[in-house]
Amino acid sequence: MDKITELWPTIFGVLVIVFIWFVIRRIFSAVSDRINNSEIYKEETVKVLQEIRDELKELNRKNSSGNL
């Protein structure tokens, strides 16, 4: 029985370290997901802006050729 009571602090310490490791891992995973989502959002925004630019260029060409 004395051996078991001597091991309690070690067992408790290991459990605390494992718990903290899981919490930190969850936090880093959430941060990583946010970073990835923001990059995807930025890429999609750039694509939409490029499409708008192309449409405006085409409209500008049509208007300038119609005025001549």
Side-chain angles (χ1 to χ4, degrees), residues 11-49:
I11 293 170
F12 182 71
V14 168
L15 289 176
V16 168
I17 290 172
V18 168
F19 177 76
I20 290 172
W21 181 74
F22 276 114
V23 169
I24 290 173
R25 196 171 133 215
R26 276 292 270 202
I27 291 170
F28 281 137
S29 175
V31 169
S32 175
D33 289 345
R34 283 198 177 225
I35 290 170
N36 290 337
N37 287 341
S38 69
E39 289 176 4
I40 291 170
Y41 176 76
K42 183 171 61 173
E43 289 173 3
E44 289 176 357
T45 304
V46 168
K47 286 179 185 177
V48 168
L49 289 174

Side-chain angles (χ1 to χ4, degrees), residues 52-68:
I52 292 171
R53 180 197 63 199
D54 294 341
E55 289 178 18
L56 287 173
K57 282 182 181 179
E58 188 173 324
L59 283 173
N60 193 19
R61 274 191 221 117
K62 286 179 182 178
N63 286 338
S64 63
S65 66
N67 290 336
L68 294 176

